[in-house]
Structure formats: C-alpha cells, structure tokens
Amino acid sequence: MKNKNSYLSAIVYSLLVFGIYSSSIQWLIFHDWKRDDYSYGILIPFIVLYLIWEKRQQISGIVSKPSWMGSLFLILSLSLFWLGELGGEFFITYFSLWLSIASLCLIYFGWDKLKVFLFPLLFSLSMFPLPAFLNNRITIYLKVVSSKLGVMMMQFYGMSAFREGNIIDLGFTQLQVVDACSGLRYLFPMIVLSILIAYYYRSYLWKRLIIVLSSIPLTIISNSLRIALTGILSEKFGSKAVEGFFHDFEGILIFMLTLGVLLLEIWVLRKIFPEPEILEKSAHEETEVIPATGKIISFLRTPQFIVSVLLLGGTLGFSQGIEFREAVPMNQAFSEFPMKIGEWVGHRQILEAKFIEELDFTDYVMAEYTNESKKPVSFYVAYYASQRKGESIHSPASCLRGGGWQFKEAGGSELTLKDNTFLPFNRAIIEKKPVKQISYYWFPSRDRVLTNIYQLKWFNFWDALTRQRTDGALVRVITLVYPDEDVNAAEMRIKEFIRDINPTLTNFLPQ
C-alpha cells in the first residue's frame, strides 16, 4: 500500500510539473541540447538517476517526513516560473523547474531523506545552459586565452606565429580561433566530469576542490595545445590535413589527455598525502542500510500533498487557460518605412532567412543611410508584437560579442532630441580589427525606453500581468569610425541621424 501511494503521488507530481514546464522542457531537449556546447546535457538525467539508484538502500531505510518548508520553496519556484514565462527568459524557467522538483522532494521526503541524495539533485543543475550573455563572455575570454597560449607554444616550437585578436598569422596561412575551438565545448563537460570524479574520490574536501578547480586551467592549456598542434600540422601537411575528421580527433585526444591528467592528480595526492583509515571506513559505512523507524502514514492524505497539488494545479490552469499577452500590431508596417528622411537617403537591406527564423520577430527594417558626407549609418529595428520564451528581444551586447566583436567602451548615455526630450541609450565602441565602429541601441517598450535587458524582462512580466502587453522593439544604430576621422566625428554623425529619424520611427511603433 505504501509503494502504491508513493507511485501515485509521484505520477501526480510528474504530470503537473510536466504540464507547467512542457514548453521549457521541449526547448531544452530540442534546442539547447542540440547545441554543440551543451550536447552533453542529455546524459545528465541518466547520470543523476544512476547516482540516486546507488543510494536506494539508504533512501529506503529512512522514513519520509513531509515538510512544510518545501511548500515555501515551491511558492518561490512558481513565482520564478511566472517571471520567466511572462518575461520571456528560459534560464529563469529552467531554474524554476529545478527548484520545483527539489521543493517537491523536500515536501515528500523531508530533510533527513533528501540530504542522502542531495548531491545528485545539485548535480542535475549542470544539464541547463548558461545565460547567453555569460556564455558569450566566457567564449570570448577562452578564445583570447587559448590563442595567446597557442601562439606561445608554436613560438617555443620554433614557428613564426603572431596573434591579433583571435586570428593567428603563421605567415603561410592564418588560423582563426572560432567558437568551435574556444574550449567551451570541452570546459563544461570536463568540469562536470571532474565533479563526478571528486564525488567518488573519498578524501578530504580540499583535495576534491583541487580536482574540480584544476579542471579549468587544464582544459584551457589542453585546448591551447590543440591550437598549437593545428598550426604545426598545417605547416607540415597543409590546412586540409587538420580539417574535418582530424580536427575532431584532435579534440577527443585532448579531452582524454585532460582526463588522464586529472586521474594522475589523484594518484599524486594519494602518494604525497595518504588517506587516513577513517575515511575509508566512513566510505564503507555510507552503503549501510539505516533501519526505518517511525510511523508510516499515507502521503496522499497529508496537508502538504494537498497544498502542493493545489499550487501546481492552479499554476497549470492559469498558464494554460489565460492568455496574458495580446499581440499588438504596429501603427504601420516597416515595409512602408521611408528611405528618404531629411538629407538622409537609405538603401533597404534584407536579412538572411536563417537569421529571421532565429530572431523570430514580427517585423523589421534594416537599411543603410547616407547624407552628403557619404559615410553610411546602419539602421536596424526589430519589432515584437508579443514576446515569449524563445521569441523575445535579443540584446546586441550578447549578439555582437558572440560574433567576435570586442567592446572597448560600453555604458549608458542620453541624447537630447529635437523636441528637447531625452532619449536614453546604450553606447559602445566595438572592434574587430582593423574595423572600429560606434554602436547605439535601446529598447522602446510600450510607453518606455529601456536600456537594460533585465529591465526589459521585468517590465514584460509586469505589463503582461497588468496590461496584457509585451510588445516592444530593439533599435540599433551603427556607424564606422573611418581612418581619416576620430571617434567624436563619427559620434556626431550617429547622433545627427538619430535626431532626424526618431520622429518617423515613433510613428511606426505603438505607444
């Protein structure tokens, strides 16, 4: 009877959780886990299940004690769900999904039993990708560090190699350290693997931390060695010899080398700092069964179960039964956006289909305007009639960094318009040598102009609740800093353009 009630409560919880987070789970499986950087994520649930299965005797030997504390965490997790769902942010809903599962475990099992499989529960967080802005920053940093170390290794070998950004000049050819070679695809899997190794390594905490933390520099150094080998083999056998299969094989070889060094670390630590017998004894005792004590009651009749089902059921009902976002059409379609505004004459440009599909906006305009100076200003606006997870505004700060642009100066500022009102915007000087540009961008959102992507997520959430609106736009203006001019001259050009075009743009966007 006890097992029957346990299975029934697990089925009820699973159905409710899947119903609430179904869109996020589908995006995780069919989008995020298909990305090369996070393809290892599909293995994490199976590893977690195995780790819990290993503890099955200890878990079954402890009586479950339903906890009200889990209900508080469940309320927090469902609040985060609404923030992520209405704000259009997958990372928040991923964390909400994890926190909901952890909360339900605490409600059902109680803390005494939960702490037995707390590590697998925490380890399951590694299946979720990082936020885009953090992912891009790490990728860029790894590109630069890997390029520097790779060039140093090639120079030590005796090759003539020079680096500019993430481009390595070998004289006879150039190597570009792109995302696939940044090391990110090896860093996260290696960190996850090092955590597992440290988990099974029965020793002091400081030794386990050494194993985990050392995986980061080891992966970076190993990836730099891969880049150096690519340059060396290119010199001897030509660039074709290090593409395709050989390029992928190098990556596997470097990954296995890093794993071997981690295992060697454990051997060295054991030799220098032998493990005391008490640790071996405690490791053996962890497998012993703890006898069950206490009165067993049906969890289905507990108030904790009833409250948690009401919270989950209510959330599922509201999320499926009420549409919090109304699609708000533009005042005019961007196909009608004028290509002559004052002294500025524009030439409309078309985005590639793959970018249109990825950005998933409602309408857009992209054009290059010039005036009598003949120095163009690039103008791009994307409008979203209703923002959802996967269909929301992407910040240029993430997109441009992800495209290899380095931000030399970045910050907020204001521009005085012709009607003496102020337009807040983000300003950045971006470089991808030898090209230098000035970029301004901002987010017109209903009756606000925002400059921070997190402000945008918050007001999407708030306006969805209070106004049933999440429509908004991204405006990005870029101009090149030419060799014959300084930054101030380019800055004056872009400000003049914004002052002239803003009244026209305002007429197209709903307020």
Side-chain angles (χ1 to χ4, degrees):
M1 186 66 180
K2 176 188 174 184
N3 287 338
K4 182 179 180 181
N5 289 334
S6 298
Y7 293 143
L8 183 58
S9 59
I11 291 172
V12 171
Y13 279 154
S14 298
L15 291 175
L16 290 172
V17 169
F18 181 79
I20 294 170
Y21 296 97
S22 57
S23 63
S24 298
I25 294 172
Q26 290 176 42
W27 187 269
L28 179 67
I29 295 173
F30 299 110
H31 182 269
D32 287 331
W33 285 352
K34 285 191 174 182
R35 294 159 55 190
D36 291 334
D37 293 346
Y38 295 100
S39 57
Y40 68 91
I42 195 171
L43 299 175
I44 302 301
F46 299 101
I47 296 173
V48 170
L49 289 175
Y50 175 76
L51 293 174
I52 295 175
W53 181 82
E54 277 192 320
K55 298 283 187 179
R56 65 194 182 281
Q57 291 183 331
Q58 285 180 272
I59 294 171
S60 63
I62 302 175
V63 174
S64 298
K65 298 178 181 178
S67 170
W68 281 112
M69 182 60 69
S71 301
L72 298 178
F73 285 109
L74 182 60
I75 293 172
L76 174 61
S77 70
L78 295 178
S79 300
L80 290 174
F81 163 76
W82 286 115
L83 181 60
E85 178 73 15
L86 300 182
E89 178 55 54
F90 270 108
F91 182 76
I92 297 177
T93 55
Y94 288 156
F95 183 73
S96 171
L97 169 61
W98 177 87
L99 188 57
S100 291
I101 294 173
S103 303
L104 294 174
C105 289
L106 182 57
I107 290 171
Y108 179 77
F109 295 114
W111 174 246
D112 288 340
K113 183 176 283 193
L114 179 63
K115 65 184 180 183
V116 176
F117 60 94
L118 184 61
F119 173 78
L121 191 60
L122 293 173
F123 182 77
S124 64
L125 282 168
S126 62
M127 76 175 74
F128 303 121
L130 293 175
F133 80 94
L134 186 57
N135 186 88
N136 290 334
R137 286 178 184 270
I138 293 175
T139 300
I140 292 169
Y141 175 77
L142 290 178
K143 281 183 189 177
V144 174
V145 172
S146 298
S147 301
K148 286 181 180 179
L149 292 177
V151 166
M152 291 172 61
M153 292 177 183
M154 284 185 274
Q155 291 173 341
F156 181 79
Y157 176 76
M159 288 183 63
S160 176
F162 302 94
R163 182 189 68 86
E164 186 170 357
N166 63 328
I167 304 296
I168 299 175
D169 191 344
L170 302 177
F172 61 91
T173 188
Q174 287 186 335
L175 299 177
Q176 183 178 9
V177 181
V178 295
D179 289 350
C181 298
S182 69
L184 191 66
R185 294 175 188 176
Y186 304 99
L187 178 62
F188 291 156
M190 187 53 66
I191 291 176
V192 169
L193 189 57
S194 69
I195 292 173
L196 281 175
I197 292 173
Y199 172 72
Y200 284 107
Y201 177 28
R202 302 303 181 185
S203 186
Y204 292 115
L205 178 60
W206 65 269
K207 288 187 180 182
R208 297 183 179 188
L209 288 175
I210 286 176
I211 299 300
V212 175
L213 295 177
S214 64
S215 67
I216 300 173
L218 278 175
T219 305
I220 295 174
I221 293 171
S222 299
N223 192 63
S224 301
L225 178 60
R226 176 192 182 190
I227 293 172
L229 284 174
T230 300
I232 293 169
L233 293 175
S234 295
E235 183 184 38
K236 292 184 178 296
F237 304 106
S239 60
K240 295 294 183 182
V242 293
E243 295 176 354
F245 170 79
F246 293 99
H247 183 269
D248 295 335
F249 179 75
E250 278 183 358
I252 296 172
L253 185 64
I254 293 299
F255 186 86
M256 298 306 296
L257 175 63
T258 308
L259 175 60
V261 174
L262 285 177
L263 297 176
L264 181 62
E265 273 188 55
I266 294 178
W267 182 82
V268 171
L269 287 171
R270 283 185 178 274
K271 288 294 183 182
I272 299 177
F273 306 101
E275 312 299 339
E277 292 184 5
I278 190 172
L279 286 175
E280 298 294 336
K281 183 179 179 182
S282 64
H284 172 72
E285 289 175 349
E286 285 185 3
T287 61
E288 295 181 357
V289 178
I290 303 172
T293 60
K295 183 181 178 181
I296 299 174
I297 62 173
S298 173
F299 181 69
L300 294 175
R301 294 199 300 266
T302 62
Q304 290 91 341
F305 175 77
I306 295 171
V307 169
S308 59
V309 167
L310 288 175
L311 286 172
L312 292 170
T315 301
L316 177 59
F318 278 112
S319 64
Q320 299 297 322
I322 300 177
E323 180 53 67
F324 288 92
R325 312 173 190 84
E326 294 180 359
V328 179
M330 297 174 58
N331 296 337
Q332 301 179 69
F334 274 140
S335 59
E336 301 176 15
F337 199 88
M339 289 296 105
K340 188 175 189 315
I341 299 175
E343 63 179 14
W344 298 95
V345 178
H347 298 280
R348 196 178 297 273
Q349 299 174 325
I350 305 298
L351 278 172
E352 294 181 41
K354 62 178 181 180
F355 295 122
I356 294 176
E357 183 179 354
E358 178 70 21
L359 295 172
D360 213 1
F361 41 62
T362 306
D363 198 0
Y364 82 100
V365 59
M366 186 169 68
E368 193 171 83
Y369 286 84
T370 56
N371 59 4
E372 59 184 11
S373 70
K374 303 301 180 184
K375 293 179 178 178
V377 174
S378 176
F379 177 66
Y380 168 76
V381 184
Y383 177 73
Y384 295 75
S386 178
Q387 296 183 65
R388 303 169 185 269
K389 302 193 307 294
E391 304 173 8
S392 57
I393 293 173
H394 298 246
S395 172
S398 296
C399 299
L400 291 173
R401 283 190 173 98
W405 289 93
Q406 296 183 358
F407 279 52
K408 295 300 182 182
E409 295 180 24
S413 188
E414 283 188 340
L415 175 65
T416 304
L417 300 174
K418 289 183 175 180
D419 60 359
N420 292 322
T421 58
F422 295 96
L423 175 70
F425 62 90
N426 287 301
R427 170 190 179 275
I429 296 178
I430 56 177
E431 286 188 7
K432 188 192 288 186
K433 290 188 176 180
V435 179
K436 178 188 289 188
Q437 298 184 129
I438 297 178
S439 172
Y440 285 10
Y441 66 91
W442 61 94
F443 308 106
S445 300
R446 283 77 74 187
D447 52 358
R448 309 179 187 90
V449 176
L450 306 175
T451 58
N452 185 292
I453 194 67
Y454 295 105
Q455 286 181 327
L456 181 66
K457 301 295 184 183
W458 167 255
F459 282 113
N460 280 346
F461 161 74
W462 183 250
D463 287 352
L465 285 179
T466 60
R467 303 167 62 180
Q468 289 72 57
R469 288 182 60 179
T470 56
D471 54 291
L474 159 68
V475 183
R476 189 192 67 195
V477 185
I478 296 177
T479 191
L480 187 68
V481 180
Y482 287 87
D484 63 345
E485 68 178 356
D486 59 15
V487 172
N488 291 332
E491 196 113 38
M492 290 178 62
R493 179 168 61 254
I494 198 171
K495 288 181 177 179
E496 180 186 352
F497 172 78
I498 292 173
R499 289 190 181 100
D500 288 342
I501 209 165
N502 190 69
T504 303
L505 174 62
T506 302
N507 291 332
F508 277 76
L509 301 177
Q511 298 300 307

